[in-house]
Amino acid sequence: HRLPGGVGELVVVEGPAMAFGLLANPRKAAALRLVVSAKGNHAAVRDGHGLQDGVESAARNSQAGERRNVGEKRRGPREPKPTWREHVIEVVSPPGSAALVWVAVALVEQHWEFCLEGISVEQEPPNGGFKGTDADEAVQPSSACPFAPRPLPS
């Protein structure tokens, strides 16, 4: 997905029982701060800050539960109860870099879903505006972390 104003790209890759997002920032003088709102059902979500528990989405669980109970009585195993949770994921990609934003993995392969609900992006000074402070360290994971920004090829 090309981000508004052509400031960068959000690459979303979906596969069997998984999905991940990657933010590419080709800008030479501005960092990009991306905030993604997503909802997952039967999904484990990880970002640069670790495993995300998210917040229960009672409305979505109720809606899904009603759909699950409508229709004919089935024989065989019942569908698992919906467990929709909302996740807000934030990442800063320095100029000329790419950063892994999230990885979502199915907990129940046949009934999992992961939906992007909202995306916002802002340009800001390099180092997230926190140059030389402890806050700068808190924004970026260590370079050993798979979520740490990596330089884009020239």
Side-chain angles (χ1 to χ4, degrees):
H1 304 283
R2 184 167 292 293
L3 296 172
V7 297
E9 292 186 20
L10 176 62
V11 179
V12 178
V13 178
E14 296 181 53
M18 60 74 63
F20 69 86
L22 177 80
L23 173 62
N25 177 9
R27 298 282 193 220
K28 299 296 182 209
L32 292 182
R33 179 178 299 272
L34 177 76
V35 179
V36 175
S37 171
K39 289 190 178 152
N41 184 34
H42 300 294
V45 179
R46 188 178 191 293
D47 66 8
H49 303 290
L51 192 59
Q52 269 226 0
D53 194 31
V55 177
E56 182 181 2
S57 178
R60 195 122 181 205
N61 284 330
S62 174
Q63 241 180 1
E66 289 171 10
R67 282 195 310 264
R68 186 172 147 251
N69 294 331
V70 172
E72 300 175 20
K73 297 247 181 207
R74 294 186 196 202
R75 294 179 187 215
R78 282 182 57 100
E79 287 184 22
K81 185 177 175 182
T83 62
W84 284 97
R85 301 192 73 76
E86 184 170 2
H87 305 274
V88 177
I89 303 161
E90 184 175 354
V91 65
V92 175
S93 182
S97 71
L100 186 59
V101 181
W102 78 84
V103 175
V105 180
L107 297 174
V108 179
E109 187 174 351
Q110 292 177 344
H111 302 284
W112 98 290
E113 290 182 63
F114 188 77
C115 307
L116 295 180
E117 301 281 320
I119 299 171
S120 70
V121 64
E122 295 177 4
Q123 293 184 64
E124 53 185 52
N127 298 322
F130 301 114
K131 190 172 183 177
T133 68
D134 290 338
D136 188 34
E137 294 300 318
V139 171
Q140 298 298 343
S142 98
S143 61
C145 177
F147 290 87
R150 307 285 188 238
L152 286 173
S154 300

